[in-house]
Amino acid sequence: MGIARRPNLEDRRLSVISSPSFILSLIKSYLTDIDRVWRLNEEQLEKYREKCFKQVLKKAKKVPMYRKKYKGIDLDKISLKNIEKLPILTKEDLRKNFPDGIVPEGFNVKKAHLVSTSGSTGQPTSIYTDFYTIIKALMGFVRELKEYGISWRKDKMTLIVDLTRGAIEEAYFEKGLPIKFKNMQFLHVGEDVEKMIEKIDKFKPKFIGGYPGVLRALAVLKRKGYGKNIEPEVMASSGAVLDEYTKKYIEEAFGAKIYDVYGSTEAGPIAFECKQGNYHLHYDMVHVEVLDDNFEPVEYGEAGQIVVTKLYGNATPIIRYNGMNDYIIPLKKKCNCGINTPLIGKIAGRKADSIILPSGKIIPPSSITGIPAKVMEELNTKKILQFQILQKSVDRVEVLVVIDEEQRDKEPSLDILFKKLKEKFEERFKGEIEVEIKEVKEIKGSEGLATPPPVVTSMVRVS
């Protein structure tokens, strides 16, 4: 008599995706989710969103963490129009109630995936997700590809993602995809960049997506003659702020347009750049509030912290979550590209990466990371290979610069370049901060990256 093998997570995944109900849900999602933001008008989208939100609240009633937070609140009277009556969900709430308190009572976590944030601002935060939720999120990715003219079924795609166990991208692409497609190449973000470019060169993708730092590192090698067969038609960046300098450098190296997309481990897909360069919310997938430090709505055109509610999914509901610590800018204008969703401005960056002036004013990363690009454009040079901005004290900032040796002896001189950089940075800081420009041989990369990102906005504040 043989010994029965205990089913593992992979067995359960195969069992789930082979069930008729799951296959039907896949077909329904594919037929309805992707085109919804083009197909429905604003009124129809709002009606759909309210329906989804009611379903999310219904699940939240069964979650111990939310039951405690919402004590005394009549949830039947809560809608997206008065969602501000609900308290904010924080990272600390998720950590304090983990594991059993962040999922509905009776939910079997053994049939779910545990995914965690990177912990770049401190301790990682973990939540649960399941196959259904992953598939719904992947529909947002397919929607983005559609906007860029890429067929997920036919076109060759290289995706540079975090395949570390427990990362959301590992859940999406290693565990979430029910079928492994030959037209998709997945590379781990921590892989050696020279080995990475060799693999991409052999694969010859039409689309390349990844972190801006890694794409920039690949662009540096491309300029040096590597990857002669790499000629993508479209590229996409996610996972960090894509500043104008990095954007232009990548586009020039590969001869392809690069678009920016925005999402998170906790909330899934949030926004994406359309072909006209505007950032559209995945309005049917998330409800986004943009609030000031007092949790009051900011004016259109003003930067504020994002508070997000996920309008789909099982396992851990995400309602009024501010743990992403990102600044975004709500816009009042409309886009005529055909996507019927609200717009936000260019992602302003992480709150933790912002510069704090002595006066208390906050300078988000997006308003300063473009300075080197503008200076080089004015001076008609490409001398700067990498830079890093460090706030060493309340009134002092260092800008570390790596110079491209092939450009070193060309005009303008480093003295002129550094003087202009100092002038522009101090002008942005309203004269409240002294800026020192320092040349360094290399900039230490982010943990897990084989090659340091070319633009690092790591603002270290020292009180």
Side-chain angles (χ1 to χ4, degrees):
M1 182 176 179
I3 301 174
R5 181 172 64 90
R6 183 180 179 179
N8 58 24
L9 188 60
E10 181 68 12
D11 294 326
R12 289 193 291 269
R13 181 177 78 91
L14 293 173
S15 175
V16 168
I17 65 176
S18 61
S19 71
S21 61
F22 185 79
I23 293 172
L24 284 175
S25 70
L26 275 181
I27 295 172
K28 182 181 178 181
S29 290
Y30 182 69
L31 293 176
T32 61
D33 290 354
I34 297 168
D35 292 336
R36 187 178 294 112
V37 294
W38 284 279
R39 190 179 71 252
L40 301 187
N41 60 33
E42 292 182 20
E43 183 179 346
Q44 291 170 325
L45 275 173
E46 290 294 351
K47 185 176 180 180
Y48 174 81
R49 281 160 37 83
E50 284 290 358
K51 179 182 177 182
C52 292
F53 181 55
K54 289 296 183 183
Q55 293 173 346
V56 169
L57 275 184
K58 185 177 180 180
K59 293 171 184 175
K61 291 178 182 178
K62 302 177 182 179
V63 177
M65 173 182 68
Y66 284 114
R67 280 216 300 266
K68 287 185 287 184
K69 288 185 73 68
Y70 296 166
K71 189 175 182 179
I73 300 175
D74 186 354
L75 294 183
D76 292 333
K77 295 181 179 180
I78 298 297
S79 68
L80 290 177
K81 294 179 180 178
N82 64 357
I83 194 174
E84 71 278 358
K85 292 185 178 181
L86 297 178
I88 295 292
L89 175 69
T90 67
K91 281 182 178 286
E92 187 56 34
D93 288 326
L94 292 172
R95 292 168 183 158
K96 185 169 61 176
N97 290 279
F98 180 83
D100 296 331
I102 66 172
V103 293
E105 290 180 343
F107 182 85
N108 187 352
V109 297
K110 293 181 179 179
K111 292 184 178 180
H113 293 297
L114 180 64
V115 294
S116 302
T117 62
S118 63
S120 58
T121 60
Q123 181 183 352
T125 303
S126 300
I127 63 169
Y128 285 101
T129 188
D130 67 351
F131 295 120
Y132 170 77
T133 307
I134 289 171
I135 293 299
K136 293 285 282 188
L138 283 173
M139 293 305 163
F141 172 62
V142 175
R143 174 185 293 167
E144 293 160 2
L145 291 176
K146 178 180 178 179
E147 170 62 12
Y148 307 143
I150 299 296
S151 169
W152 67 274
R153 292 176 293 117
K154 299 177 182 178
D155 293 328
K156 282 191 173 184
M157 298 187 295
T158 294
L159 301 177
I160 304 166
V161 296
D162 186 358
L163 297 178
T164 305
R165 184 175 177 83
I168 190 65
E169 290 167 333
E170 187 246 359
Y172 284 171
F173 300 115
E174 286 288 289
K175 297 173 181 174
L177 285 177
I179 303 171
K180 302 307 177 186
F181 297 92
K182 292 182 179 180
N183 65 311
M184 297 183 187
Q185 179 186 52
F186 297 100
L187 301 176
H188 178 49
V189 66
E191 188 172 348
D192 178 79
V193 70
E194 291 191 11
K195 292 181 180 178
M196 192 183 293
I197 203 168
E198 287 180 9
K199 293 179 180 179
I200 300 172
D201 188 62
K202 292 178 181 178
F203 193 65
K204 302 177 184 178
K206 183 176 180 179
F207 173 87
I208 301 176
Y211 294 83
V214 177
L215 294 178
R216 172 64 160 76
L218 291 170
V220 171
L221 293 180
K222 177 70 172 174
R223 284 176 176 268
K224 292 182 177 180
Y226 291 76
K228 294 185 183 297
N229 296 313
I230 303 176
E231 297 180 345
E233 292 185 14
V234 184
M235 303 180 73
S237 166
S238 64
V241 173
L242 178 65
D243 66 277
E244 284 303 314
Y245 174 47
T246 303
K247 181 182 176 72
K248 289 180 181 178
Y249 192 98
I250 295 170
E251 287 182 338
E252 290 175 3
F254 289 101
K257 179 72 176 176
I258 183 168
Y259 296 97
D260 197 20
V261 300
Y262 176 51
S264 75
T265 296
E266 305 95 323
I270 296 174
F272 62 106
E273 190 180 2
C274 73
K275 286 184 177 180
Q276 295 190 18
N278 292 316
Y279 286 82
H280 291 261
L281 291 174
H282 281 286
Y283 201 50
D284 56 335
M285 303 181 79
V286 291
H287 176 72
V288 167
E289 301 168 75
V290 189
L291 310 179
D292 61 22
D293 289 340
N294 296 317
F295 296 109
E296 295 293 331
V298 302
E299 298 292 331
Y300 285 115
E302 296 291 325
Q305 60 178 307
I306 182 173
V307 174
V308 64
T309 298
K310 189 159 70 171
L311 300 177
Y312 66 95
N314 300 317
T316 304
I318 298 296
I319 304 173
R320 298 206 81 206
Y321 179 67
N322 78 333
M324 290 167 57
N325 296 311
D326 284 341
Y327 280 118
I328 65 171
I329 302 170
L331 299 179
K332 193 173 185 179
K333 70 175 185 177
K334 303 289 185 180
C335 182
N336 60 9
C337 71
I339 301 172
N340 301 313
T341 70
L343 304 178
I344 59 175
K346 187 172 177 63
I347 313 304
R350 298 186 67 86
K351 184 176 181 181
D353 288 343
S354 299
I355 292 287
I356 310 296
L357 300 183
S359 62
K361 183 176 176 60
I362 297 173
I363 307 294
S366 64
S367 67
I368 55 177
T369 54
I371 289 176
K374 291 177 181 178
V375 168
M376 285 192 291
E377 187 175 3
E378 285 182 22
L379 298 178
N380 192 28
T381 181
K382 288 186 167 69
K383 281 181 183 284
I384 299 176
L385 192 61
Q386 299 172 279
F387 67 87
Q388 183 178 47
I389 305 166
L390 301 171
Q391 184 166 12
K392 305 298 287 187
S393 67
V394 70
D395 59 358
R396 180 171 167 263
V397 161
E398 284 184 0
V399 180
L400 308 182
V401 177
V402 176
I403 297 298
D404 187 340
E405 291 300 327
E406 296 178 3
Q407 300 283 327
R408 177 179 291 277
D409 296 329
K410 296 180 180 180
E411 294 293 334
S413 68
L414 290 185
D415 287 342
I416 293 175
L417 177 61
F418 288 4
K419 181 180 179 181
K420 192 72 172 178
L421 280 173
K422 177 180 172 67
E423 177 185 304
K424 291 296 184 181
F425 273 107
E426 289 185 345
E427 181 181 307
R428 183 65 186 89
F429 297 145
K430 311 292 185 183
E432 296 185 40
I433 291 180
E434 181 184 355
V435 177
E436 182 179 4
I437 312 296
K438 285 185 174 181
E439 182 184 355
V440 294
K441 292 296 183 184
E442 63 179 358
I443 289 174
K444 188 176 180 180
S446 301
E447 185 176 354
L449 292 181
T451 303
V455 179
V456 184
T457 55
S458 177
M459 318 302 182
V460 182
R461 295 192 294 275
V462 181
S463 59

